[in-house]
Amino acid sequence: RANTEKQVVALAGSSGFRVSTINMFVSDAILGMIPPLAALELLWLRILMTAPFRPFRTNMITVLQKVAE
């Protein structure tokens, strides 16, 4: 299980791969029907878009490359 960038790098290295890129991004807002919660959710998503909160983003796309032997 690899839920953080550090875990992905470690798992890739132990499996004979190297990390080419790791993109972390936030999800879409889903509480638009409830205005008070929607405002809080949008604020939280905006905070997650800043560099200090990058590790807390909910989605990750990683590209691994097989290490040549």
Side-chain angles (χ1 to χ4, degrees), residues 28-48:
D28 292 333
I30 59 171
L31 297 175
M33 300 297 242
I34 309 166
L37 292 178
L40 292 173
E41 181 184 31
L42 290 174
L43 177 63
W44 177 245
L45 291 176
R46 181 65 70 171
I47 290 169
L48 286 175

Side-chain angles (χ1 to χ4, degrees), residues 7-55:
Q7 290 174 332
V8 169
V9 171
L11 188 60
S14 67
S15 301
F17 290 90
R18 74 172 183 82
V19 175
S20 178
T21 59
I22 297 178
N23 294 323
M24 308 250 330
F25 55 97
V26 296
S27 61
D28 292 333
I30 59 171
L31 297 175
M33 300 297 242
I34 309 166
L37 292 178
L40 292 173
E41 181 184 31
L42 290 174
L43 177 63
W44 177 245
L45 291 176
R46 181 65 70 171
I47 290 169
L48 286 175
M49 289 180 187
T50 63
F53 287 89
R54 187 174 193 271

